[in-house]
Amino acid sequence: MHNDHVILLENIRKRYHKNDAFVLNDISLSIKRAEFVALIGPSGSGKSTLLHIAGLLDSPTSGSIFIDGKNIQRVSDNERTATRLLKIGFIYQYHHLLQEFSALENVMLPQLIGGIPKEKAREKAVRLLNDMQLSDKLNSFPSELSGGQKQRVAIARALANDPPLLLADEPTGSLDPETAHLVFDDLMRIMQKTGMSIIMGTHNYELAKKMSRKFLLSEGRLLEK
């Protein structure tokens, strides 16, 4: 019944301690293939919490998460880990690249963890980095890259296992406006080319306007704009 959705959140509630107010209160959201969705809201509104729950990095207090039609609350920890690795890509505000690995190795790593042979992982990493206009930076370490280049490596890494869903938490938040637009254009191009769905948490209303759907998270509730 839920197969036409890449991800479906039903009645998600989240609070951290028993007597706390709910950070997220009865949130439902369904995302189809090739949708680019903006999640807007002030700092502290719960955008990161919602993205972490959607990405299986955190569990809701109550509610259900379906990914590719499967109820994730009902699967084993191993299957949940596999779903996170193979079905979901992540990009954060700060790239979270591994400093001691080159750009190429950072993009190979999720593939190697997923059991892809080394040569194949290398070929794909090269292709993804070329696609991000980083063909001359394959062997550069994060400390040798600009902010925009680091975010592009992080995008390539997030795409390494061809996930149907990409979750981006303020991915342009630490970049200057011009670089932010370039990185956003990269994400838009990837969505159009691959049919991947993207949920992007952002403060940037100008970028949000370009997305297919916009949701405002306020006082624990989600409102479509």
Side-chain angles (χ1 to χ4, degrees), residues 82-199:
T83 300
R84 192 164 56 226
L85 179 68
L86 300 173
K87 303 271 187 186
I88 304 169
F90 287 97
I91 314 165
Y92 302 94
Q93 178 169 353
Y94 300 101
H95 51 82
H96 290 305
L97 297 174
L98 296 169
Q99 297 296 328
E100 64 276 23
F101 290 107
S102 68
L104 186 65
E105 290 164 339
N106 265 287
V107 181
M108 285 173 69
L109 204 58
Q111 301 178 73
L112 298 176
I113 294 168
I116 304 287
K118 198 169 180 182
E119 268 320 296
K120 253 187 143 164
R122 173 184 291 276
E123 273 170 36
K124 185 159 189 193
V126 169
R127 193 170 76 243
L128 286 166
L129 288 164
N130 287 347
D131 199 33
M132 286 283 144
Q133 289 89 48
L134 291 169
S135 50
D136 54 341
K137 301 290 181 189
L138 300 184
N139 298 312
S140 300
F141 289 88
S143 58
E144 301 167 318
L145 300 172
S146 70
Q149 288 167 341
K150 285 180 207 171
Q151 253 338 17
R152 286 206 175 87
V153 175
I155 291 170
R157 179 183 60 183
L159 300 175
N161 286 326
D162 298 316
L165 177 64
L166 188 65
L167 300 174
D169 192 1
E170 295 282 357
T172 60
S174 60
L175 305 174
D176 64 79
E178 190 185 344
T179 309
H181 277 277
L182 291 172
V183 167
F184 178 82
D185 290 345
D186 281 331
L187 289 172
M188 190 68 95
R189 178 172 56 85
I190 288 156
M191 185 204 74
Q192 288 161 347
K193 184 173 157 187
T194 63
M196 165 188 285
S197 306
I198 304 174
I199 306 176

Side-chain angles (χ1 to χ4, degrees), residues 14-18 20-21 23 49 58 61:
K14 177 69 178 180
R15 65 176 169 198
Y16 287 100
H17 302 289
K18 199 162 176 229
D20 285 1
V23 187
T49 303
D58 195 356
T61 306

Side-chain angles (χ1 to χ4, degrees), residues 16-73:
Y16 287 100
H17 302 289
K18 199 162 176 229
N19 298 321
D20 285 1
F22 283 98
V23 187
L24 304 174
N25 201 351
D26 203 27
I27 284 178
S28 295
L29 175 65
S30 65
I31 308 293
K32 293 194 169 92
R33 247 178 97 66
E35 283 197 306
F36 198 152
V37 174
L39 189 56
I40 314 158
S43 277
S45 59
K47 294 195 302 291
S48 295
T49 303
L50 185 57
L51 287 169
H52 283 164
I53 286 172
L56 313 183
L57 294 170
D58 195 356
S59 299
T61 306
S62 61
S64 305
I65 302 163
F66 294 86
I67 292 181
D68 268 357
K70 189 172 284 188
N71 187 340
I72 297 301
Q73 309 321 84

